[in-house]
Amino acid sequence: MTELDTRPPEAAPPRTDVDDLVQHDRVHGSVYTDPEVFELEMEQIFRRGWVYVGHESEVPEPGDYVTRRIGGQPVILTRGKDGVVRVLMNRCAHRGNRLCNAESGNSTTFRCPYHGWTFNNDGSLVGVPMRTGYDKEFLARRSEIGLAPTARTDSYRGFVFASLAAEGITLAEHLGRATTAIDRLLALSPDGRLDLRAGWMKHQHMSNWKMVMENNVDGYHALFTHESVYSAVREAKVSHVPSKVEVCVRDMGDGHSEIDYSAEYTRLDEEFVWFGRAPRAKLPNYVAAMERAHGPADTHRALVVGPPHTLIFPNLFLAEMNIMMVEPIAPGETVAYTTPALIPGQDELNGRMLRRTEGAMGPAGFLIADDGEIGARNQLGLAARKPDWIVLARGRDTDEADETGLVNHDKSAETPQRGWWAHWAEVLGGRYNSRDGAES
Amino acid sequence: MTEPAAATGTPVDPALEPDVLAFLHLEARLADEARYSEWESLWAADGVYWVPMGPDHDPRVNLSYVYDNRKRIRSRVAQLNSGARHSQTPPSVMRRLLTNVEVLDRGADTVTVGANFVLYEYRHALTTWAGRVVHTVRRRPDGSLELVAKTVHLVNAGGPVPTLAFLI
Ligand code: FES
Ligand SMILES: [Fe+2]
């Protein structure tokens, strides 16, 4: 067992020597503020690794598209006439104009407003106006010119990820154990599908993107940051005092982590604790559809265990019945996108879900508005360069390894943060995305 | 019961009763001055406070920034009054202008009023908010007024939106 590190602060580490910034139970404060670290993150995490882009339900029909950004680069997530979901770089192959300028829509072709080049939504160039101005050699090469696809696109049960790098580990390797969280969410859908089309709240956070992400799996802050909810509005769904509940935190490996309420809910053996304790009788159609699909026993279990509270590295948070994706803008600025994970066809459930999302999440949410404020103050605090280190030692001697990862039965342990940072250092150090066994 | 005119509807009646206009100005000032409980007392039992994310959104199928029924208005005010709503501790310093006021619709005992607004909010820095606000005000049998609906169409509803924990 080790003691809290009380070594005197050293001189600031060399700026991009990642291993000097992350030391298991402490992290150098500059990781949130240094523009060079931010650039390195864009390169190693967002341009080389797998990044969550969107959900297949956002583009259900051929021609449907949504526009997104991956590490600052504009992309189009679209479904082709062939039904295939693609992620294309949103840049005209002629002279670089941003091709698609709407957030969402339906179009099987994109016509560039600058000089009128037209592209099919599979990326191929299908129209060049005034073609007589081009010579034979160009026209012969025309079929090679098109929208650049992201180097790799893959999905897991409707969740679409892309990598801008041609080489590296597979999506399955990247997701690792995090697929269990997606499975847990989809177990709450009678047919295993979701509908992410209620609209995205776009919430500007004046803090570093990692602060926004890791706060989501911080089981320590709720009693303090969200005191106003529990004191003035309603009690927490289960106690936030770690000794009173069987809630654990888990470093799932590969940067993914979670707060897991399932043992506590199972102990209570009560359905919908995670959904405002709504009684079954209020959701008869949903419960009936679940029982038709899964049978009474599995339905009961799914409704007891509830949804995941799981962070999927680097930019996706399964926020129970919400999906949050996070976009870094600058070292001190982030946009969080949030939408409820609606269940297709379940109007009575979905109506409640909309109101619950508005209540908790986004810029006016009872919870996230305060998380955003605390994040902004964290950024303001970190403008002080001393002390050098942020302390993440909580629970470090009580982490237990099992087949699900590294588990700590104290909900307030900083186990998820230690997992996040260890992985972050691996990725920024260039060791993760090109590790042995990666396919080329 | 007539359908409330859309946020961009055509004015139907140029004459707005002075006490209704004064009521709207009071609502604005109580929100500006973080007088939460007094602001809450303006609301009718069936009141709805709504900040949609798009101009023609339907709250039954679209997510909103705020969609508070009367019960949630009470919770929002209780949270603000707790002193621990960090995103409004201390409260933003605010002043808003309500202008281009038009009567959009009349019901048996209600009047729906559209206006443009500009709101200057100072917390860490000065933030300017602007949009269209539509109020529906009901006259009670005793002649007094209560707020039935307040809908705020932000010009930046498309986002990203900074923290919006104050009363807009
Ligand atoms: S830049 Fe698109 S057609 Fe010229
Ligand atoms: Fe929080």
Side-chain angles (χ1 to χ4, degrees):
Chain A
M1 203 178 305
T2 43
E3 299 294 322
L4 183 68
D5 196 328
T6 52
R7 284 172 289 174
E10 299 136 11
R15 304 196 80 184
T16 49
D17 192 339
V18 173
D19 291 322
D20 285 344
L21 299 175
V22 176
Q23 297 180 354
H24 180 55
D25 59 358
R26 59 180 208 169
V27 176
H28 197 267
S30 64
V31 296
Y32 295 97
T33 57
D34 186 339
E36 285 189 26
V37 169
F38 186 83
E39 267 315 305
L40 195 59
E41 288 174 332
M42 291 302 103
E43 184 58 36
Q44 295 286 31
I45 298 174
F46 287 89
R47 295 185 199 125
R48 293 194 61 194
W50 287 99
V51 177
Y52 177 67
V53 180
H55 193 266
E56 286 176 4
S57 70
E58 297 182 87
V59 289
E61 301 297 330
D64 285 349
Y65 66 83
V66 294
T67 52
R68 296 277 146 84
R69 279 179 298 272
I70 300 175
Q73 303 189 43
V75 298
I76 310 170
L77 171 71
T78 181
R79 190 181 291 272
K81 279 179 251 177
D82 52 5
V84 174
V85 173
R86 296 182 175 83
V87 183
L88 304 167
M89 304 308 288
N90 190 2
R91 166 181 152 161
C92 178
H94 178 218
R95 272 159 54 183
N97 218 245
R98 191 174 71 175
L99 186 64
C100 178
N101 292 286
E103 277 183 18
S104 62
N106 181 285
S107 182
T108 50
T109 59
F110 298 104
R111 184 169 187 267
C112 180
Y114 196 0
H115 312 97
W117 284 29
T118 303
F119 302 86
N120 201 320
N121 76 341
D122 63 8
S124 55
L125 176 63
V126 292
V128 175
M130 298 179 274
R131 60 198 300 268
T132 50
Y134 288 101
D135 60 25
K136 279 207 193 79
E137 189 196 331
F138 172 83
L139 293 173
R141 280 195 297 118
R142 207 183 97 161
S143 63
E144 299 162 22
I145 298 174
L147 302 180
T150 53
R152 293 179 297 160
T153 302
D154 200 355
S155 67
Y156 181 77
R157 299 191 71 187
F159 289 77
V160 181
F161 298 78
S163 167
L164 301 183
E167 296 187 0
I169 61 168
T170 63
L171 178 64
E173 288 175 290
H174 166 74
L175 288 177
R177 295 184 180 105
T179 55
T180 60
I182 294 175
D183 294 342
R184 181 170 165 185
L185 177 59
L186 296 180
L188 291 166
S189 171
D191 63 0
R193 289 186 305 132
L194 301 175
D195 180 351
L196 267 51
R197 287 179 296 169
W200 292 93
M201 283 180 175
K202 297 181 208 121
H203 184 186
Q204 181 191 37
H205 290 257
M206 298 314 289
S207 58
N208 187 268
W209 69 278
K210 302 184 293 300
M211 175 72 196
V212 178
M213 285 301 287
E214 57 177 335
N215 176 62
N216 290 319
V217 284
D218 180 272
Y220 193 10
H221 76 291
L223 267 180
F224 310 98
T225 299
H226 304 305
E227 179 200 338
S228 65
V229 176
Y230 309 128
S231 69
V233 182
R234 65 179 129 73
E235 294 201 356
K237 55 193 173 194
V238 294
S239 172
H240 283 294
V241 180
S243 59
K244 292 187 180 169
V245 286
E246 289 181 24
V247 179
C248 69
V249 287
R250 179 176 291 116
D251 164 10
M252 304 164 87
D254 302 290
H256 319 307
S257 57
E258 65 185 0
I259 302 177
D260 185 1
Y261 292 87
S262 60
E264 177 67 9
Y265 293 162
T266 302
R267 185 180 70 82
L268 297 170
D269 194 30
E270 195 185 325
E271 296 176 350
F272 295 116
V273 176
W274 47 275
F275 201 64
R277 293 192 146 88
R280 241 178 194 242
K282 292 259 166 100
L283 300 162
N285 296 326
Y286 170 61
V287 174
M290 283 288 286
E291 291 196 333
R292 272 198 306 280
H294 303 306
D298 284 357
T299 295
H300 176 69
R301 181 166 163 69
L303 298 182
V304 167
V305 164
H309 187 115
T310 304
L311 179 162
I312 298 182
F313 191 91
N315 67 330
L316 174 64
F317 173 42
L318 304 180
E320 307 192 14
M321 293 310 285
N322 299 293
I323 305 296
M324 180 191 283
M325 51 185 186
V326 163
E327 181 183 355
I329 305 294
E333 185 179 351
T334 303
V335 177
Y337 298 70
T338 307
T339 200
L342 302 181
I343 308 293
Q346 298 300 329
D347 293 347
E348 65 194 5
L349 181 81
N350 293 340
R352 283 170 174 261
M353 224 186 299
L354 286 167
R355 300 294 89 85
R356 288 177 58 80
T357 302
E358 291 149 357
M361 312 294 286
F366 284 54
L367 293 173
I368 301 293
D370 288 331
D371 289 307
E373 174 66 15
I374 292 294
R377 293 183 197 173
N378 225 59
Q379 205 70 21
L380 294 171
L382 288 163
R385 300 288 183 89
K386 294 285 173 184
D388 286 86
W389 301 96
I390 282 163
V391 182
L392 297 171
R394 192 171 175 83
R396 96 186 147 174
D397 61 344
T398 48
D399 286 344
E400 295 167 20
D402 68 16
E403 71 287 353
T404 66
L406 207 53
V407 180
N408 197 303
H409 292 279
D410 178 342
K411 166 184 182 287
S412 67
E414 285 161 332
T415 311
Q417 285 69 29
R418 287 190 290 273
W420 167 276
W421 285 108
H423 181 73
W424 181 91
E426 281 280 292
V427 175
L428 253 65
R431 296 187 294 276
Y432 182 75
N433 288 315
S434 57
R435 70 186 181 194
D436 288 349
E439 67 171 25
S440 57
Chain B
M1 178 96 188
T2 51
E3 282 290 305
T8 51
T10 314
V12 296
D13 179 354
L16 177 62
E17 300 84 334
D19 67 337
V20 175
L21 186 61
F23 182 85
L24 301 185
H25 287 161
L26 176 66
E27 191 273 324
R29 187 155 55 85
L30 294 177
D32 278 348
E33 296 177 358
R35 291 159 66 179
Y36 306 124
S37 297
E38 290 171 83
W39 181 84
E40 190 196 341
S41 72
L42 304 179
W43 282 94
D46 54 348
V48 174
Y49 169 42
W50 184 29
V51 184
M53 301 203 307
D56 42 21
H57 278 192
D58 176 349
R60 289 169 300 182
V61 294
N62 298 117
L63 186 67
S64 304
Y65 290 116
V66 175
Y67 191 86
D68 287 2
N69 62 12
R70 186 62 183 81
K71 187 169 170 232
R72 191 169 283 175
I73 289 170
R74 188 193 322 133
S75 296
R76 188 174 296 279
V77 166
Q79 187 184 27
L80 288 164
N81 275 331
S82 72
R85 176 61 156 164
H86 303 296
S87 45
Q88 278 297 292
T89 308
S92 299
V93 180
M94 292 184 282
R95 288 297 162 192
R96 73 192 72 190
L97 310 178
L98 214 58
T99 186
N100 302 34
V101 178
E102 298 169 304
V103 175
L104 301 181
D105 193 31
R106 285 186 184 278
D109 54 359
T110 60
V111 56
T112 297
V113 183
N116 293 345
F117 76 93
V118 179
L119 162 58
Y120 299 97
E121 184 218 357
Y122 178 69
R123 207 158 51 94
H124 298 297
L126 184 67
T127 305
T128 305
W129 300 77
R132 178 83 167 150
V133 57
V134 180
H135 290 87
T136 297
V137 177
R138 183 190 290 132
R139 192 174 294 282
R140 300 192 189 97
D142 68 359
S144 63
L145 299 170
E146 60 182 11
L147 186 53
V148 180
K150 179 181 183 184
T151 303
V152 180
H153 296 275
L154 297 170
V155 297
N156 61 333
V161 169
T163 292
L164 182 51
F166 56 86
L167 302 172
I168 189 141

